Amino acid sequence: MNLAVRDVRHNLGRFLLTCLGLSLLLGVVLSMIGIYRGLVDEALTLVRQPGADLWIVESGTRGPFAEASRIPGDHRDAVARLAGVAAAGSLTFQSVETEHRGRTLRLYVVGYEPGRPGEPRRLAAGRPITRSHYEMLADRRAGLEIGERVRLGRDVYEVVGLTDGIVASGGDPVVHMTLRDSQRLQFELDPPAARRELARGGLPAGLDTVNAVVARVLPGVPEARVAAEAARWKHIAALTQGEQEGLLLKSVVEKARRQIGLFTALLMAVSAVVIALILYTMTMDKVKAIATLKLIGAPDRTIVALILQQALAMGAIGWGAGTLLILLAKDHFPRRLLLLPDDALMLGAAVLVLCVVASGLGVRLALKVDPATALGG
Amino acid sequence: MAAPLVELQGIAKTYGSGEAAVHALKDTDLRVYPGQVVGLLGPSGSGKTTLLNLIGCIVEPTRGRMDLDGETVYDGRWLKSDLRRLRLEKIGFIFQFHNLLPFLTAEENVAVALDLAGVSGEEARRRARALLDYLEVGHRGASLPSRLSGGEAQRVAIARALANRPRIILADEPTAALDSGRAGMVMDLLRRLALEQQAAVLVVTHDESIFGRFDHAVSLRDGQVDLP
């Protein structure tokens, strides 16, 4: 006879409510893990999007994502001519904020050269950029439609295509435009500022500056060899794709990762305390029944099984409901929440271990119950 | 006369030590034979419950010797390693407030005692039903304890106590929560069981209305048998 099942059946409403509470808590834990995964995935999406093997950036910087990097635009040709390089393309990166349809629209603008590395490889809707100016590709997260016109800086750009899932490490949706347009947006001074610059004897600001040059190497050519070749120019630095991803994760995502990791650990500790308290309270409610069972000859293993089975059932139901809840809600989060099956399973296993450990308090109490408690009032 | 089912010789129980020592029971001798219903009477604090706990192997005596069902279980120390098993096989407990498990039906409350003794599920159920029928509460087998009247609950508790055919039945104030009519019925039932199963029944009670229903009564005062 399974006493745990019968006890649960008897107090079904209370048990399910407890499971619901636990599922919300575990759902938060799972969402934190998902947010971290999403953060890493989003950060890497942008750096992986060009499909580059090498990143050429300003010497002494770890740009363009970890810090600012500026190199002359003509370096693309020089890089393209390096032995072993198949293709190269210039890129700019810039955050912009604009008012659109009565709301503030924050975007991450990537300038690229159509037909060269850096161009979005897949469009979810619309067409690629075909004109030299005033067209852009927007990610769906921006909430823009094809044909919509958005003012950025001094110019108005028309959305001609949509990408899906390309966002910056900060979560801002990415828009792509031609390199020339993005250079004007980033480097061109307003007329009053330009006039002032001329009046004080400065040179007109050059627009042909880029933040990075990306290159693809020929099959079979070691990236490190080409990087070493590029690094012979003292004013630039060359990073392999792996190094760029590592830098991005270390400098941009690391703090967020530690923050989320710590928060997740705290939540797990809170979950453990909550589970332990729930089990302890549930055991307290059954002290008389446990004493009676002991008095009529129930072995300790029967009592332990009663508590442990309920703890495991609570953990399993809480985890299952929490996972389901997050699966249903994940698309409503403002930032990407990436749920990996392995993470969910790992959490499930951790919760079950937690339940076993947390039930220790209840089990200890139950084993200490004196059978004589059952006698008398 | 048959051998006693319960035999206590010089049994004593002291709680604490030194000046704080409480002598709950002092050098008590007792014999209860098969088929007998014995009352343990006395005021509160006289040692009745302690005596019941000692015979039920819940509390260890301080000294003396105790034989249950012809077997010496205590002689200065426990001689049985598994007191739980001993309780399960030889002793049936009936409580003042029935102590039925609230999450089990009446039938399951009886079957659980059989289940603990290793009787298979269906057989345990069958025997539980038979016991409930015998105690005339078979029609309430599917009811939870909260749905039973006081008398019905007490009969289900008695059925549970009898499930493993114990030789010794210990009842702690079994009629305290019942009116006099139902109290009489319970005592009639205990007497019937004592005779039919040749069991020894010990009843702790304050209920004067049932004093006349014992084969003999042991009166306790200040931890000692109060001889008339």
Side-chain angles (χ1 to χ4, degrees):
Chain A
M1 186 183 298
N2 190 308
L3 297 175
V5 170
R6 281 164 175 80
D7 186 36
V8 166
R9 196 178 57 190
H10 181 61
N11 294 304
L12 192 61
R14 198 176 70 164
F15 183 79
L16 289 180
L17 267 178
T18 307
C19 288
L20 179 68
L22 186 61
S23 72
L24 292 174
L25 195 57
L26 294 177
V28 174
V29 175
L30 200 57
S31 67
M32 292 309 294
I33 297 170
I35 287 168
Y36 165 64
R37 293 286 185 202
L39 199 72
V40 171
D41 191 68
E42 282 179 346
L44 291 178
T45 299
L46 185 60
V47 78
R48 283 175 180 166
Q49 195 284 127
D53 298 314
L54 283 178
W55 288 75
I56 313 298
V57 299
E58 185 180 345
S59 177
T61 73
R62 301 189 301 166
F65 304 107
E67 54 186 314
S69 158
R70 285 187 181 195
I71 54 176
D74 59 5
H75 276 49
R76 187 250 298 152
D77 288 334
V79 172
R81 281 195 290 273
L82 283 173
V85 171
S90 298
L91 292 173
T92 60
F93 302 93
Q94 179 190 10
S95 287
V96 296
E97 204 170 271
T98 186
E99 290 294 318
H100 181 68
R101 287 189 299 190
R103 67 185 172 103
T104 302
L105 189 61
R106 193 172 163 77
L107 301 167
Y108 193 75
V109 177
V110 176
Y112 72 99
E113 296 174 287
R116 294 187 178 278
E119 184 173 14
R121 284 178 285 176
R122 201 172 62 81
L123 291 182
R127 61 166 176 82
I129 290 175
T130 52
R131 288 166 54 196
S132 303
H133 295 289
Y134 314 126
E135 286 187 348
M136 69 179 188
L137 308 170
D139 192 80
R140 284 190 194 280
R141 294 276 186 95
L144 300 171
E145 303 290 337
I146 291 175
E148 205 165 342
R149 297 166 73 82
V150 182
R151 173 172 289 280
L152 296 176
R154 294 160 58 200
D155 300 310
V156 175
Y157 298 84
E158 182 183 349
V159 178
V160 296
L162 297 176
T163 59
D164 197 9
I166 305 179
V167 293
S169 60
D172 298 330
V174 168
V175 296
H176 285 82
M177 60 177 60
T178 63
L179 186 70
R180 291 290 166 225
D181 281 350
S182 71
Q183 285 173 323
R184 276 168 58 89
L185 184 62
Q186 189 172 163
F187 303 117
E188 193 175 72
L189 296 173
D190 278 341
R195 281 195 299 274
R196 182 188 170 282
E197 199 59 26
L198 279 173
R200 65 188 280 267
L203 294 170
L207 289 185
D208 196 15
T209 300
V210 298
N211 299 124
V213 172
V214 290
R216 288 186 197 132
V217 300
L218 292 166
V221 176
E223 299 160 11
R225 200 190 77 194
V226 182
E229 188 71 20
R232 289 172 63 193
W233 289 317
K234 301 298 178 196
H235 60 294
I236 58 170
L239 303 167
T240 62
Q241 176 68 16
E243 287 169 338
Q244 181 63 267
E245 287 183 15
L247 271 178
L248 183 70
L249 290 180
K250 265 193 174 173
S251 56
V252 181
V253 182
E254 178 64 11
K255 273 189 184 163
R257 184 186 72 82
R258 281 160 56 184
Q259 178 97 341
I260 291 172
L262 187 63
F263 193 57
T264 306
L266 279 173
L267 279 174
M268 286 297 277
V270 169
S271 304
V273 172
V274 168
I275 292 170
L277 280 175
I278 290 169
L279 291 173
Y280 188 77
T281 311
M282 283 167 73
T283 309
M284 285 282 282
D285 290 345
K286 285 195 283 282
V287 162
K288 189 94 175 175
I290 289 169
T292 305
L293 278 167
K294 283 184 163 185
L295 195 64
I296 65 175
D300 284 348
R301 68 170 181 279
T302 302
I303 313 291
V304 172
L306 168 66
I307 295 164
L308 212 53
Q309 285 170 5
Q310 287 187 348
L312 291 173
M314 198 170 67
I317 293 171
W319 170 79
T323 305
L324 186 67
L325 187 75
I326 295 305
L327 280 173
L328 293 174
K330 72 182 174 72
D331 292 334
H332 301 287
F333 278 73
R335 288 203 62 173
R336 186 162 180 216
L337 202 145
L338 183 60
L339 278 185
L340 300 179
D342 282 357
D343 287 342
L345 290 174
M346 283 281 283
L347 178 68
V351 167
L352 292 184
V353 171
L354 213 63
C355 284
V356 172
V357 174
S359 65
L361 267 180
V363 167
R364 188 164 169 267
L365 170 72
L367 293 181
K368 280 171 71 178
V369 169
D370 184 357
T373 312
L375 293 170
Chain B
M1 189 176 247
L5 280 174
V6 177
E7 185 170 12
L8 308 183
Q9 295 174 50
I11 281 286
K13 177 66 187 174
T14 303
Y15 292 103
S17 60
E19 286 185 9
V22 175
H23 303 288
L25 211 58
K26 300 167 190 163
D27 295 323
T28 303
D29 295 333
L30 180 70
R31 281 194 182 83
V32 187
Y33 292 91
Q36 271 192 335
V37 179
V38 174
L40 294 176
L41 317 177
S44 292
S46 60
K48 303 187 300 294
T49 301
T50 300
L51 185 57
L52 210 64
N53 288 346
L54 289 170
I55 299 170
C57 303
I58 300 165
V59 170
E60 184 176 0
T62 306
R63 62 174 181 276
R65 176 187 159 119
M66 179 163 70
D67 291 63
L68 299 178
D69 196 15
E71 200 177 355
T72 304
V73 295
Y74 186 87
D75 191 2
R77 63 187 175 89
W78 289 116
L79 300 177
K80 296 282 286 183
S81 60
D82 194 350
L83 296 171
R84 178 193 68 78
R85 196 85 211 161
L86 183 77
R87 283 202 297 272
L88 186 64
E89 290 170 353
K90 289 192 189 288
I91 304 170
F93 289 93
I94 300 169
F95 310 96
Q96 181 176 353
F97 296 105
H98 64 71
N99 282 22
L100 294 176
L101 301 175
F103 49 86
L104 299 183
T105 63
E107 187 181 302
E108 287 169 343
N109 260 287
V110 181
V112 74
L114 292 157
D115 187 66
L116 292 171
V119 179
S120 69
E122 198 40 54
E123 174 63 10
R125 291 256 180 189
R126 192 190 60 72
R127 279 167 61 177
R129 277 195 295 272
L131 265 170
L132 290 174
D133 285 339
Y134 173 71
L135 294 168
E136 298 171 7
V137 277
H139 62 293
R140 303 307 308 270
S143 302
L144 287 169
S146 57
R147 301 274 179 188
L148 300 174
S149 69
E152 286 171 336
Q154 197 59 292
R155 275 181 283 165
V156 173
I158 292 171
R160 182 179 64 188
L162 300 178
N164 291 313
R165 299 190 180 97
R167 299 303 314 278
I168 301 156
I169 296 169
L170 305 176
D172 187 22
E173 303 276 9
T175 60
L178 304 176
D179 59 44
S180 59
R182 288 206 172 91
M185 281 170 61
V186 167
M187 287 311 297
D188 287 344
L189 187 58
L190 290 176
R191 170 157 301 286
R192 197 168 92 203
L193 293 170
L195 290 173
E196 287 179 7
Q197 300 192 10
Q198 283 299 291
V201 179
L202 279 100
V203 181
V204 166
T205 186
H206 280 104
D207 187 353
E208 291 182 8
S209 71
I210 61 169
F211 281 6
R213 291 172 177 270
F214 300 123
D215 293 317
H216 74 262
V218 176
S219 189
L220 288 163
R221 184 174 292 277
D222 298 329
Q224 282 182 307
V225 174
D226 193 14
L227 296 171

